[in-house]
Amino acid sequence: MNVYFSSLVLLLVSAALSRLIHHESRKRLIGCGGVVLGSLLGLYPSLMTLMAGSFELRVLPSPIPGLSATFGVDALSAFFLVAIFGLSAATGVYSFGYLKNQPRLLQTLPFFPLLVAAMAAVVMARDGFLFLVCWEIMSLASFFLVTTEHEIKEVRVAGWIYLVATHLATSFLMVFFILLSQKSGSFDLLFLFAVIGFGTKAGIFPFHVWLPQAHPAAPSAISALMSGAMIKTGIYGILRVIPLLGPPPLWWGGLLMVMGILSAVLGALYSLMQQDLKRLLAYSSVENIGIITMGVGLGLMGMTRHDLIVTSLGFGGALFHVWNHTILKGALFLGTGVVVHATHTRMIDRLGGLLKRLPVTGTMFLIASLALCGLPPLNGFVSEWIIYRGLLAGTQWPIDRFFAIAGILGIALAGGLILASFTKVIGVSFLGEPRHEVPNKGIGELHEGSLYLFLPLVFLVTIGLLIGIFPKFIWSPIRTIVQDLDPSLIGMPPELISLSLIGRIFAGFLALSGALLLFYRIFIRQKNNRRAVTWDCGYSAPSPRMQYSSSSFAEPLSIFFRSILRPQTLLKKPSGIFPQTASFAEDVEDLALQRFFRPLFGAFARSLGLFRKMQRGTIQAYLAMIFIALIALLVWEVWFGI
Amino acid sequence: MESDSISLVIHLSLLLLSPPLFLGIIAKTKAFFGGRQGPPLFQPYYDLVKLMKKGFVYSRSSSWVLRLAPILILTSILFSGLLLPLGHEAPLHFEGDLILFAYLLGLARFFTILAAMDVGSSFEGMGASREATFGALSELSFFLGLIVLAIMTHSSSLTGLTGLLSEKGPYSPCHPSVLLLFVTFILILLTENSRMPIDDPNTHLELTMIHEVMILDYSGPDLGIILYGASLKLFLMMVLAVSVLFPQTHGIQATGWLFLKLVGLAIGIGVIESINARLRLIKIPQILIANFVIAAFALAVTLLKGGF
């Protein structure tokens, strides 16, 4: 336990020091180096705990009498700690390279180790109040990191949306913990509050609306950390409270399944429609969280039916996918950071031909997207396969088989749409010819960034590859965790012998392709090998602008799904005999935002209009109001008792 | 065991050597309908040999994706073939391998689309975009069809789905959901393998651009590998469709009967291609949805009629 605490302390010290030091390169070294060291220091005991399946608890002296500060690490916490610390170490190395000569971005560097420490503390906290405190620190630290470039209006708006969303979530969680401690309130209500609170942080539909706003606004390393580690704490929360709420009725699992299916399908669909590289990846995170939620819902349904196989496959698949998504989404965002760093734009339609100029980054991006689509022979397939197997087992149930069937179709459709989405990204930005001149730089000058920028990328993708070939190593600790989640499970979760067969098939696939490629190269390719212009049907002047753009690639699917997407088009038709200008723009706004949150918040704003008259605009008035409210609450608590 | 290695040899030779023959059969059938004599039955083999002897022309816009794609596509389809039983247990089988089967074909699609985008041409971009769309939509019907089969045969492995796990056949072919499933899989076959009325495999014009246009910039042995891979994919889909209607049994004789049924199905595909004109592109999503509805009907009949 002491090692965990020392890692937290190291992170906090690094945060404080990087705030105090003003010299640029030393600040960068202390901040990023502190993150790397602290994460590695915490990673080692987490791996040990995970493999040994042990449990440690430590109570710290608490500053508030009556409330304890208990930290504990069991297999579930250790599982998430490995993900958090592992990704933080990678992003620490990456940031060290990224922040070179970027004094503007260094201002919020102190919050980086603070965020890592807060995430780790959330996963280690054992009682409600401590959990909420760490949760709040995590949310605030990430808010400050998201609004690093707050001189841009978009970033400020995104920051506000994120702040409101995360505080709404926290308020639901506060009610949840209070009700739980009072042991009052029905378990159904508790479950709902937990799902809303943790689901907002995780990014489950329809509470995901902050994700696609906040991720593009944040610097790339922070987007990687948020998407890879922070939203997983929402999943951790749901998994942690499941044993506390007793035997689940069927509709709990069903609700999570439905929300998961919606998140997966709609996340993939909206991802396809984006032209901003980071928003596309943010929606893809929503899709993967949907798959994880489906796994959790499946596990809950298995618990209701006392079906050991389905429970372990559901929870196990969800946990496995947590790790896979952390690794792969982290790699994708870091790769995006390199692209943005080199080309100064996030718009896919302004890119093109980057694979030849950024070969390592492009290849890693390609492999990571391959894995994230769930395609063999990589790790993404294995976790989706486990969930599929659970769903297939669920199709044998008498009545709830429809959830299982809907689940399989949901993952299949989401998989198809996300395949379209990633082929779009890679095809339009990395392949083909460059579409626009890069501002301030000729295209020919693009080059790979420093070693710090792509080493973490290579490292993460390699881990993904290895997990795909040796999935048994991940499944064994997961079985322990699933056993803890539902102690009423009689017997051990299945060993899934087919996993090693899958691993060997993947290894065989890679070996066969490698052998065929070698054979091909040596024996067949030595013939005359000409280069020519792309076949252009005899056009005299083919240009890069003739290539497919990202919106044209997504056009057939956008027409097919237009009743869900409701795209808004701005069309200026060519007019007159010699038309000069014409323009076409299509925008797809998030359904939940459009139909649910905007009207809701609009109604709130209108109904609270009367309070607007009380707004004075001076900070003294606001401080006075806060003070009065606190005193009133204190009086109410002491006199009337709660 | 000896019979195991013999059956492996038979499986591999059937898998690797026979697919181009079915392309030849389809071409002969279409020629018959057109009143022509048509190319020889083994023409696809001659084409492959000819292509292997030629040289390469690579587009200047392309990167390593275009060069590596043909081999990767071939490997994925080969491994799918190893998962599919042909009259005896497949060389690779485990519970849940139908998911691997579908996703390996998805891997082939991924690289086909990427290689098409790699050359930076609007023709291939068109094909890539359409392939991505129709692929996403046909996956739905494909998975639903597989789910119905899984419910009917109580198995989640292709070996069980094609009927090899039960002694006398898991279901009678006259069951209505079987016929509906057969129609579903035939339509999926037509979509995935660019057959009429979804796509015309004979032309490379803008009008008929889904699969054929994505291979415009391949040349020489690359093109040979792509064509061979396409014939292999057609073969796999045909085996799946035939096994729905006529569940497989064990033995070399069963493999022989399977081969004959595949020939019959190839002739049937030739007939369908000859009597249908190509659909307008707008109608294709409607066909895919109709396919999904047919599969949903099969599901409803399976669940309601019972007996499984």
Side-chain angles (χ1 to χ4, degrees), chain A residues 355-356 370 374 384-385 388 396 401 431 433 517 520 528-532 534-535 546-548 553 556, chain B residues 56-61 63 67-68 95-96 103 107 110 114 119-120 122 126 129 133 154 217 222 303:
Chain A
L355 189 60
K356 289 189 281 220
L370 204 62
E384 288 195 21
W385 179 81
Y388 265 122
Q396 308 289 346
R401 63 196 338 171
L431 304 176
E433 291 288 333
L517 278 169
Y520 202 59
N528 49 337
N529 202 335
R530 282 193 296 133
R531 298 184 75 100
T534 305
W535 189 76
M546 287 182 184
Q547 294 174 105
Y548 252 50
F553 191 93
Chain B
F56 296 86
V57 178
Y58 283 120
S59 155
R60 279 190 211 109
S61 316
S63 63
R67 288 153 179 76
L68 290 188
E95 281 292 318
Y103 272 67
L107 180 67
F110 188 90
L114 274 193
V119 293
S122 30
M126 223 184 285
S129 151
T133 311
H154 296 286
D217 271 88
D222 277 344
L303 293 179

Side-chain angles (χ1 to χ4, degrees), chain A residues 51-130:
Chain A
M51 297 205 290
S54 58
F55 175 56
E56 300 177 43
L57 203 62
R58 172 77 78 88
V59 184
L60 286 185
S62 138
I64 302 172
L67 285 167
S68 64
T70 318
F71 284 101
V73 179
D74 65 349
L76 182 64
S77 303
F79 191 81
F80 280 89
L81 276 177
V82 170
I84 293 174
F85 281 135
L87 189 60
S88 310
T91 42
V93 174
Y94 180 87
S95 302
F96 185 70
Y98 194 77
L99 291 174
K100 193 171 182 170
N101 301 327
Q102 304 258 19
R104 179 67 192 77
L105 297 180
L106 279 176
Q107 284 181 5
T108 49
L109 186 60
F111 290 106
F112 186 21
L114 187 61
L115 177 62
V116 178
M119 286 195 289
V122 160
V123 166
M124 292 199 279
R126 281 290 148 157
D127 66 322
F129 186 73
L130 181 64

Side-chain angles (χ1 to χ4, degrees), chain B residues 183-251:
Chain B
V183 172
T184 308
F185 277 108
I186 291 289
L187 277 172
I188 292 174
L189 189 154
L190 294 176
T191 312
E192 293 275 334
N193 295 287
S194 70
R195 299 277 129 200
M196 298 277 236
I198 313 284
D199 188 11
D200 192 342
N202 282 336
T203 71
H204 297 271
L205 304 174
E206 295 92 280
L207 298 173
T208 67
M209 287 177 155
I210 304 177
H211 289 83
E212 292 306 315
V213 70
M214 288 197 286
I215 62 174
L216 275 179
D217 271 88
Y218 289 114
S219 49
D222 277 344
L223 185 58
I225 294 178
I226 294 283
L227 290 179
Y228 176 68
S231 69
L232 201 50
K233 190 170 167 188
L234 177 64
F235 176 76
L236 295 179
M237 291 282 168
M238 280 168 53
V239 169
L240 209 52
V242 161
S243 312
V244 166
L245 201 53
F246 304 107
Q248 295 181 22
T249 47
H250 284 268

Side-chain angles (χ1 to χ4, degrees), chain B residues 282-298:
Chain B
I282 306 178
K283 303 261 192 223
I284 296 185
Q286 298 175 6
I287 278 249
L288 296 175
I289 293 300
N291 201 11
F292 181 76
V293 170
I294 295 176
F297 267 120

Side-chain angles (χ1 to χ4, degrees), chain A residues 355-356 359 362-363 366 369-370 373-377 381 384-385 388-389 392 395-396 401-402 404-405 408-413 415-417 419-420 422-424 426-428 430-433 435 498 501-502 505-506 508-510 512-513 516-517 520-521 524-537 539 543-544 546-549 552-557 560-561, chain B residues 52-65 67-68 70-72 74-76 78-79 83 92-100 103-104 106-107 109-111 113-115 117-130 132-133 135-137 139-141 143-144 147 150-151 154-156 204 206 216-217 219-223 225 285-286 289 292 299 303:
Chain A
L355 189 60
K356 289 189 281 220
T363 314
L366 202 151
S369 0
L370 204 62
C373 293
L375 295 174
F381 176 78
E384 288 195 21
W385 179 81
Y388 265 122
R389 270 207 75 180
L392 280 169
T395 56
Q396 308 289 346
R401 63 196 338 171
F402 290 106
I405 295 176
I408 297 181
L409 293 177
I411 303 190
L413 182 59
L417 290 172
L419 188 146
F422 275 116
T423 46
K424 180 186 91 161
I426 300 179
V428 172
F430 284 98
L431 304 176
E433 291 288 333
R435 286 172 178 74
S498 341
L501 180 58
I502 293 183
I505 293 179
F506 287 175
F509 182 96
L510 291 170
L512 183 62
S513 343
L516 281 177
L517 278 169
Y520 202 59
R521 230 222 145 125
I524 304 191
R525 275 248 238 125
Q526 50 186 338
K527 298 192 183 58
N528 49 337
N529 202 335
R530 282 193 296 133
R531 298 184 75 100
V533 73
T534 305
W535 189 76
D536 49 13
C537 204
Y539 289 155
S543 85
M546 287 182 184
Q547 294 174 105
Y548 252 50
S549 67
S552 38
F553 191 93
E555 174 75 351
L557 276 169
F560 184 80
F561 285 107
Chain B
M52 284 297 164
K53 293 191 202 150
K54 292 196 169 225
F56 296 86
V57 178
Y58 283 120
S59 155
R60 279 190 211 109
S61 316
S62 61
S63 63
W64 61 258
V65 173
R67 288 153 179 76
L68 290 188
I71 295 278
L72 288 169
L74 182 63
T75 320
S76 351
L78 264 178
F79 268 87
L83 288 170
L92 300 169
H93 61 272
F94 52 91
E95 281 292 318
D97 65 17
L98 64 89
I99 307 290
L100 184 59
Y103 272 67
L104 277 170
L107 180 67
R109 177 182 301 135
F110 188 90
F111 275 106
I113 297 179
L114 274 193
M117 298 292 283
D118 196 15
V119 293
S121 151
S122 30
F123 294 126
E124 276 95 338
M126 223 184 285
S129 151
R130 292 168 186 175
T133 311
L137 296 176
E139 287 252 315
L140 267 182
S141 337
F143 269 89
L144 190 53
I147 293 174
I151 295 180
H154 296 286
S155 157
S156 64
H204 297 271
E206 295 92 280
L216 275 179
D217 271 88
S219 49
D222 277 344
L223 185 58
I225 294 178
Q286 298 175 6
I289 293 300
F292 181 76
L299 177 71
L303 293 179

Side-chain angles (χ1 to χ4, degrees), chain A residues 221-281:
Chain A
I222 304 302
S223 309
L225 200 56
M226 280 172 65
S227 202
M230 199 183 69
I231 58 184
K232 306 305 190 310
T233 54
I235 301 290
Y236 166 81
I238 297 180
L239 286 174
R240 183 56 84 187
V241 303
I242 284 177
L244 298 175
L245 295 176
L250 192 69
W251 71 266
W252 288 11
L255 176 69
L256 279 184
M257 274 288 257
V258 169
M259 285 170 83
I261 296 174
L262 283 175
S263 311
V265 173
L266 288 174
L269 190 56
Y270 281 113
S271 163
L272 180 59
M273 297 297 141
Q274 302 304 319
Q275 284 113 5
D276 179 334
L277 197 47
K278 282 189 175 176
R279 274 185 78 122
L280 190 144
L281 291 179

